[in-house]
Amino acid sequence: MIIAALAATMTASAQLHISTPTTSLLLNAEPGERFEYMYYGAALADTDIPAVAESEKHVDAYPVYGMDTFNAYTLAATHADGSMATDMRVDKVSESTDKDGSKVTRVSLKDTLYPFYIDVCYRTWPACDVIETWTEIRHNENKAVTLTEFPSAYLPVRRGNVWLSHIDGAWGNEGHLTHEPLTPGIKTIRNIDGARNSQNAHSEIMLSLDGKPQERTGRTIGAVLCYSGNYDISINTDASAWHRLTAGIDAHNSAYRLAKGETFLTPAVALTYSERGTSGVSRNIHRWGRDHRLQHADRERPVLLNSWEGIYFDVNEPVVNKMMTDIADMGGELFVLDDGWFGTKYPRNGDKWGLGDWEIDRAKLPNGITDLLKSAEEKGLKFGIWIEPEMANLYSELYEKHPDWIIQAPGRDPVFGRGGTQLILDLGNPAVQEHVFKVFDRLMTEYPAIGYIKWDANMPIKNHGSHYQKADAQSRLYIDYHHGFEKVCKRIREKYPDVMVQACASGGGRANWGILPYFDEFWVSDNTDPLQRIYMQWGTSYFFPAITQAAHISASPCHATHRATPIKYRVDVAMSGRLGIELQPSQMTEAERTFCKDAIATYKAVRPTIQMGDQYRLHSPYDGDGVAALMYVDEPRDHAVFFWYKTEDFHNHHYPRVTMDGLDPDKKYKITELNRIDKTPLSCEGKVYTGAWLMANGLELPYRHIVDTPMMSDYSSRVLRIDAINN
Ligand code: GLA
């Protein structure tokens, strides 16, 4: 909101107070002057605004390179005449309301010498205390202007004992959480994969202002870049009083020649602030994501069986049919046929062949997909299928027909990806965009009953070169790839608004808020080991709600870590996300099947709370205390589901008792253990407690399960249902 009548006239004062119920961003946008930042944090009272505006330091709100910006800048441009200096002043401030009801405040800046313009925009989402910010850059210079740095957002944070939290990792170890203090120098989180931007690093961060990050307390800022491509998030802690955060598209090797009249739109950065620690920031982001970005956020996600770890490339009709029967018997709702179903000249019998040739392999599936769809329907299942439409293999008919569609350095042989033969298509090329759209469109047109697509991407951009771009526009490769990707996604969603789509990219390579407006969820990791998943899902939950996190029960020993774990532990961990199964059901024991069948029924009953509720992270596995615990609470605070996992087992070791959160202190709640295996009930079973007791004291949980000796193990987990009662 712009302060009273001042905004319209911008005369006496030009303070811009952009606010949500619990947060305030205070800026100064005096026409003809530099655009200034004063404050971001807890909501300001009316009384404080003028005083804060007078007394706080004023620093650039969007500094640019070239004039008086020797150590911190956001945007850099080479103007039509070759000058590398830019110097912006406020032109005007305007406000509008978008179709979705959100308010946008636009601060229009103008260069002092050239017809070069930047609009710095802010969109407020009051219900989740999120302010999105981005820029729109354009010019009327007589030749192209080359943008060499173009972050979306800049935020100065007062220097202090400020800690950075971010998620990093690797294939099979996605979502790994790192907390580190900000020290002098520049800390950069950068992704240059080209296609999959979240496996090794993530484009979201938190800054804890009160020292080491705590899950439940402390002033914390969250910043989420909504982009699917390369990014650069840097925090410059220099000699000044500030840690200066910039976030946006990575500009390395991506200088962008902006034509006269063209607008360069940078992706939004969502900012939020909470005094309830990292978990508080996560809840704001989850809510913002569910309410404003995630595809089909209001729909409960089905329980599925995905074929990959069960049969890998060995797809064949009877086996697939049997898997469908098995998952239907266990109460599943969707079967997903993963890789291996396609290719005629080059059958997809391994990862060397067939990508690009999305024709059914009739040797494996003589009756095609039509029969599988019919059989799924008879079993009451929805049917889903895997594609990797941005890719080709050297051994594919697609590559033979369109060698110029691949990304390849001019005049050089390509460096290959997966299987030693994988190639990535140049999505900046409209012909490739059409192809990728058609892969999806053809499947959905021929088989309209398909209810779910698993969209994979298993290769980075390794080679720099586009057959499509002109010689002087090769640096558009990365950015145009993602513009093309988004264009295709939009087109798909316009035509197919209902189908569910999962983003997968060598596991968790595409977990970002740039794509989630088009995708329903993402695959967290190819590693389904429950112990490691506790850590991965914990880290991932910093920025993504449970409804987006595909979490599957897999075989024991786990194919990735070879760790053997009991079925209860595997189920309890997967149930804290979007539950699925990823194994060959015919290899399960009868006891495992029964356990899964019961757990699926249980999950369906608590699914709305897990998938749509607020998440409270209670005790972090990263604290090294041997336990992890989290809970979900529905909006009216009537239902909650509590998850407790032992992450280490030492004899006679004492584990901390975990207190709960998010409940109504005045309500009474009844406790029911879910997925119980113990011979005797927990001491709290069926008992009624006030929310106040549960939040102040938690419940005493035994460290081991009371089971017969053959079932004894060092793994323990508990899932409790917590339901408000009326009297
Ligand atoms: C990637 C995905 C897996 C699976 C395989 C298929 O690795 O992460 O889930 O779909 O591809 O080749």
Side-chain angles (χ1 to χ4, degrees), residues 308 338-339 386 418 454 456 458 504 506-507 523 526:
W308 182 241
D338 208 289
D339 201 350
W386 181 95
R418 187 182 182 193
K454 175 171 173 178
D456 214 335
N458 289 312
C504 178
S506 316
W523 183 221
D526 281 342

Side-chain angles (χ1 to χ4, degrees), residues 92-155:
K92 59 177 193 248
V93 177
S94 53
E95 228 187 34
S96 58
T97 305
D98 268 5
K99 270 190 256 147
D100 54 20
S102 63
K103 272 224 174 110
V104 175
T105 305
R106 183 175 289 267
V107 181
S108 299
L109 310 177
K110 195 166 161 264
D111 188 85
T112 51
L113 188 60
Y114 301 113
F116 180 81
Y117 311 95
I118 305 172
D119 282 0
V120 184
C121 306
Y122 301 91
R123 182 193 306 280
T124 46
W125 294 115
C128 43
D129 287 309
V130 163
I131 298 171
E132 288 173 19
T133 177
W134 71 95
T135 56
E136 296 178 16
I137 305 155
R138 63 184 202 291
H139 71 88
N140 266 324
E141 298 184 29
N142 52 16
K143 277 197 269 165
V145 170
T146 303
L147 304 176
T148 50
E149 301 275 350
F150 31 78
S152 302
Y154 174 76
L155 186 75

Side-chain angles (χ1 to χ4, degrees), residues 216 619 627 644 655-659 693 697-701 703:
R216 305 207 227 175
H619 201 104
V627 292
W644 179 95
Y655 299 93
R657 181 160 156 166
V658 177
T659 58
W693 168 271
N697 303 288
L699 294 168
E700 196 55 55
L701 297 174
Y703 304 156

